[in-house]
Amino acid sequence: MTELNKLNMKTLDGISENIEKIEKLFPNCITESKDENGNLKKSINFEVLKQLLSKDIAEGRENYEFTWPGKKAAILEANTPITKTLRPCVEDSKNWENTKNLYIEGDNLEALKILQESYIGKVKMIYIDPPYNTGNDFVYKDDFSKSESDYSESIGQKKENGERLFKNTESNGRFHSDWCSMIYSRLLLARNMLSEEGVIFISIDENEFENLTKIADEIFGKSNNIGQFVWAGGRKNDSKFISVSHEYILCFVKNIEFLKNHKIVWREKKSGLEKIYSEFEKLKQQYSDNYELIETELKKWFKTLPESDPAREHSHYCSVDDRGIYFADNISWPGGGGPKYDVLHPKTGKPVKIPSRGWLTNKETLEKWIKDGLVKFGPDENYVPQLKAYLKNREYAVPYSVIYKDGRASSKRLKSLMGEKIFENPKDEEIISRLISLCLSGENQIVLDFFSGSGTTAHSVFLSNISKSVNAKFILVQLPETISVKAGDSEKTKKVATNATQFLKSINKPINICEIGKERIRRAGEQIKKEHPETNVDVGFRVFKVDSSNMKDVYYNPEFLSQDLLLSLESNIKEDRSDLDLLFGCILDLGLTLDKEVKEETIGDTKVYIYNDDEKEGPDLIACFADSITEDVITAIAKRNPLKAVFKDSSFENSPSKINLFELFKTYANISDDNELQSRVRVI
């Protein structure tokens, strides 16, 4: 008799419950300790938790956990608020009005902070290709506690366009620490943006593979470490001992339990199938229903394929019948212990040989398979039957962890697209597209890349979308790093930089990496439209640039406002900011996404902006930035019942006019609750 489960007869363990809650919010705070019986249990690393909840560097000694000098500062930096914003750049955009894709120019740490409220929990996939810390590449140096001049001196490179980069050579005493701090703060923010079923892929080579794995284990939780792909991209002949010809793509999910509970699995279509189906159809036309001859010719055809051809991997699918191509698979119980019973041969009428491990299923099911023609018998009863596994039913498989793809192929395709080699070592858009198709499904899911380089991820999203397997949109972030020939660069690198400079000059664009990325996305989109005119894929993108706040300093520090300055001050808003700047600043501050339709309307003589106007729900936002505003305009806006309404503070002459604003919204937007009113109606 099976023993019954006993009731626990205890109240819930409140401490364990709280630890579980903290683990979901801050997995990097979880460690292990031993209980009174010496068994391991989950515990809280209060030093890490204290730093996450502190605006200052928390006291305490940094010990090896995994840690490094500057780790606490990296945590602090990730959590320190900034007053910057994103300014729309319509002239650099493509199909601004209708596109759902975003391209952001600026420091990616700042961009991630700005995007937090609008995109928290909304990103399905992140792919990044950060600097590999080889000693020759440039990485971010983050230190907002220093003055602007001190900061420039500390990194040795502070250019007019605001780049914050330094060449992290191995002579730097903080060689690994600086890199770890740089990636740590960004991954902390990136995790917040992932949805519960979200996934992050990170390309890296052997230089920082171990450190990155430890950092990601800490931030995302070791249980959410899915593993890594190994990309074998071709042999390198300049090595003295081992030709290191691969790199890694680390893979972490946001919440593995969510994937398990919702039965989410990853499957991808096997490569080379269309080629096999095409050959089979050709043989059918030639030999009609002579399946024995078709099998013979199909086997010969498989042998003619080169070893690198993906179709050759499926050469065991070489049997055919009227249903199609199949593989004669094992029909025995895996591991042994399966049922044993007699099965009669259809021609001799005698019991066939029983598999030593027993049949794969019970007698009733096997008899149904035989009746349906799914079992292949040998010439007589002395052979064990086989199960027909049709290729059309086994087109999808769990992805293989090793990717064999020549790394030079993507460089050649990019050179062909751009007309010249203007970017070194671009990532392969076909591989990233494969990752996108692997873990995304559904409508309007977001792919984020905050080290976007040449724009490969945008190109990959286009490819995935035309395959009709997904419908994704992208957010790309890239620092506008100036392209120049640097001391110590190889001749090959110098040539690529020179080519890039000449290319950007020829199209009258600034000489920085962002311009290469945007132009690549434009050309990739046009190429896809040309090759697939039947598709309606979104190949546009809205450009935004990280910039200082739209508001003057006094907006944040009104206590420093003197009476004389108050009398002369007409507005909190900087003079060089447009209505569109203000609109998107409000959109970000209100936690709305940046990809919705903007409509401009005129009420009387006053211009208003309507954001994401839904016929049933009403607009997400109506904003009016006029210098003065009449009661009729406010009434008209209130009647539209927007989710949010924003006005300029300086548009109102005095406090009574502001009170009247609220009264009009109470009347015409039918808002009775004062808290709701203050939440929905704002001024800047």
Side-chain angles (χ1 to χ4, degrees), residues 4-250:
L4 294 174
N5 290 326
K6 295 181 179 178
L7 291 174
N8 196 27
M9 300 299 286
K10 293 180 181 179
T11 60
L12 289 174
D13 183 346
I15 293 176
S16 296
E17 286 285 302
N18 288 335
I19 289 175
E20 292 294 331
K21 291 175 183 177
I22 289 174
E23 184 178 20
K24 290 181 180 179
L25 291 172
F26 309 114
N28 50 323
C29 292
I30 301 302
T31 184
E32 290 181 340
S33 63
K34 291 184 177 181
D35 62 17
E36 61 272 16
N37 298 317
N39 299 316
L40 289 175
K41 64 176 183 177
K42 287 183 180 179
S43 300
I44 302 294
N45 185 327
F46 288 101
E47 290 296 322
V48 176
L49 182 61
K50 183 165 60 174
Q51 183 60 72
L52 285 171
L53 301 177
S54 174
K55 293 183 178 180
D56 301 302
I57 294 179
E59 295 181 0
R61 186 176 175 184
E62 292 181 332
N63 299 310
Y64 182 81
E65 286 169 337
F66 173 63
T67 191
W68 60 90
K71 183 176 181 180
K72 286 184 178 180
I75 297 172
L76 175 64
E77 208 148 51
N79 292 314
T80 301
I82 59 175
T83 58
K84 293 198 172 186
T85 190
L86 297 179
R87 297 181 68 182
C89 188
V90 179
E91 62 273 16
D92 273 9
S93 305
K94 180 175 181 178
N95 193 22
W96 168 275
E97 295 295 336
N98 302 310
T99 186
K100 301 290 185 183
N101 301 312
L102 308 177
Y103 188 97
I104 299 171
E105 295 184 34
D107 182 293
N108 56 12
L109 184 61
E110 294 175 344
L112 289 171
K113 289 184 179 185
I114 294 167
L115 294 172
Q116 286 290 295
E117 190 167 359
S118 295
Y119 289 93
I120 188 166
K122 293 179 181 177
V123 174
K124 182 68 177 288
M125 171 182 157
I126 298 173
Y127 171 81
I128 56 171
D129 179 30
Y132 286 3
N133 210 25
T134 62
N136 293 313
D137 45 8
F138 282 73
V139 301
Y140 289 86
K141 178 74 171 182
D142 302 319
D143 190 345
F144 300 133
S145 65
K146 293 188 178 183
S147 69
E148 191 71 14
S149 59
D150 289 342
Y151 182 77
S152 303
E153 292 173 5
S154 72
I155 66 172
Q157 181 179 346
K158 175 71 176 177
K159 298 184 179 177
E160 291 180 0
N161 62 7
E163 292 179 17
R164 288 206 289 270
L165 296 172
F166 78 113
K167 197 165 187 177
N168 195 25
T169 62
E170 292 187 2
S171 61
N172 174 17
R174 294 168 52 93
F175 179 68
H176 290 291
S177 295
D178 282 340
W179 189 90
C180 288
S181 293
M182 180 275 294
I183 200 69
Y184 195 91
S185 55
R186 286 159 177 81
L187 291 182
L188 278 174
L189 294 174
R191 182 185 179 273
N192 296 339
M193 299 175 73
L194 283 176
S195 61
E196 285 301 294
E197 73 272 33
V199 56
I200 182 169
F201 297 99
I202 311 171
S203 285
I204 200 70
D205 71 0
E206 70 278 5
N207 288 286
E208 295 291 353
F209 171 76
E210 291 185 10
N211 286 339
L212 178 61
T213 301
K214 291 175 183 176
I215 287 171
D217 277 345
E218 188 174 300
I219 291 174
F220 294 95
K222 195 172 182 66
S223 63
N224 293 314
N225 185 341
I226 297 298
Q228 61 269 337
F229 290 96
V230 177
W231 175 19
R235 296 184 63 84
K236 296 178 181 178
N237 298 318
D238 57 349
S239 301
K240 292 182 179 180
F241 303 105
I242 296 176
S243 175
V244 179
S245 304
H246 68 275
E247 58 184 65
Y248 306 93
I249 304 176
L250 274 63

Side-chain angles (χ1 to χ4, degrees), residues 269-296:
K269 193 168 185 177
K270 298 172 182 175
S271 300
L273 300 189
E274 296 307 318
K275 196 171 184 178
I276 298 172
Y277 289 140
S278 176
E279 181 64 21
F280 174 60
E281 290 301 322
K282 188 173 19 173
L283 292 173
K284 274 180 64 179
Q285 291 179 5
Q286 187 174 354
Y287 300 112
S288 187
D289 57 354
N290 188 338
Y291 298 117
E292 186 175 341
L293 190 53
I294 291 174
E295 280 188 15
T296 300

